[in-house]
Amino acid sequence: MIHLIWSIINGMIVLYFLYLIVGFIAKGKRIFKPQFKVISIFIMVIGIVQIISASNSDKNINRITINEYYNKQNNSEIKKVILEDNLTFDINMHVKYSVEKNEFIPIESNSFLTGFVSGYVWEFKSIQTNNYKPNEKPEFIADGILKWNLFGINVYSESKTFSGIIEK
């Protein structure tokens, strides 16, 4: 529930920013009400700075290479794991395996958010998993950082560690 409230707050700030920009273009300084003038100008300046800096930010692809040395001629298989299931969003992970002589060898993994993710950024940091045979269930330990952003500014960073079994 807290995730939904955080996303709604982010959405309201973005809508207020858009209202201020359109109002400033249409009405000029009159858009700023005297009782909210400082807050309105602050939100407008922060929004403009975020728009300008967004083009310079590096995109985090959240991909981790587990094994660089594998035979690309072999078949590969991808397993999906839902690390965390929240009301508004999920943290997902894919693990790609190379199938070699009746053994599954992990090659790479990536993790991402799906759903209503306004105000959140997921940084996938590490994964540990082993080779496994078809009749076994592979175990994993994965961790990352869930960043709580308010209008693009990191307010809180939450370290998360997940462990479990990758189902077939």
Side-chain angles (χ1 to χ4, degrees):
M1 188 63 156
I2 187 87
H3 299 286
L4 178 61
I5 293 169
W6 187 257
S7 295
I8 290 171
I9 290 171
N10 269 286
M12 288 174 29
I13 290 176
V14 169
L15 290 174
Y16 187 63
F17 169 73
L18 293 174
Y19 165 77
L20 289 174
I21 292 294
V22 171
F24 187 73
I25 292 169
K27 294 182 180 178
K29 292 190 307 186
R30 292 181 312 215
I31 190 71
F32 301 117
K33 306 258 189 275
Q35 62 268 32
F36 301 116
K37 188 173 188 175
V38 174
I39 294 170
S40 298
I41 292 173
F42 178 75
I43 289 176
M44 194 165 156
V45 169
I46 293 295
I48 291 170
V49 169
Q50 289 299 323
I51 289 171
I52 292 169
S53 67
S55 62
N56 297 333
S57 66
D58 294 333
K59 300 297 180 196
N60 187 1
I61 58 171
N62 288 336
R63 184 175 306 276
I64 296 173
T65 302
I66 299 170
N67 187 353
E68 294 178 15
Y69 310 105
Y70 71 96
N71 187 353
K72 293 183 181 184
Q73 303 299 325
N74 293 339
N75 293 332
S76 62
E77 189 172 320
I78 297 176
K79 304 287 185 179
K80 180 182 177 183
V81 179
I82 297 177
L83 298 174
E84 185 172 285
D85 184 9
N86 291 312
L87 178 65
T88 58
F89 67 87
D90 298 334
I91 302 175
N92 300 286
M93 179 179 71
H94 288 168
V95 181
K96 183 177 181 182
Y97 289 95
S98 174
V99 183
E100 295 182 15
K101 298 179 184 174
N102 208 22
E103 185 174 21
F104 291 77
I105 300 170
I107 301 168
E108 66 183 15
S109 179
N110 68 326
S111 184
F112 50 92
L113 296 175
T114 57
F116 186 48
V117 296
S118 175
Y120 297 99
V121 174
W122 172 247
E123 287 186 18
F124 189 40
K125 293 296 184 184
S126 69
I127 181 172
Q128 293 177 344
T129 187
N130 297 324
N131 301 356
Y132 75 97
K133 305 256 188 261
N135 57 353
E136 299 173 352
K137 291 186 177 182
E139 294 181 353
F140 73 91
I141 298 174
D143 63 7
I145 298 172
L146 181 64
K147 294 184 176 182
W148 296 54
N149 293 342
L150 188 60
F151 208 49
I153 299 171
N154 187 6
V155 176
Y156 178 70
S157 294
E158 181 180 3
S159 179
K160 293 197 168 271
T161 301
F162 304 99
S163 62
I165 296 173
I166 299 174
E167 298 295 327
K168 298 179 182 185

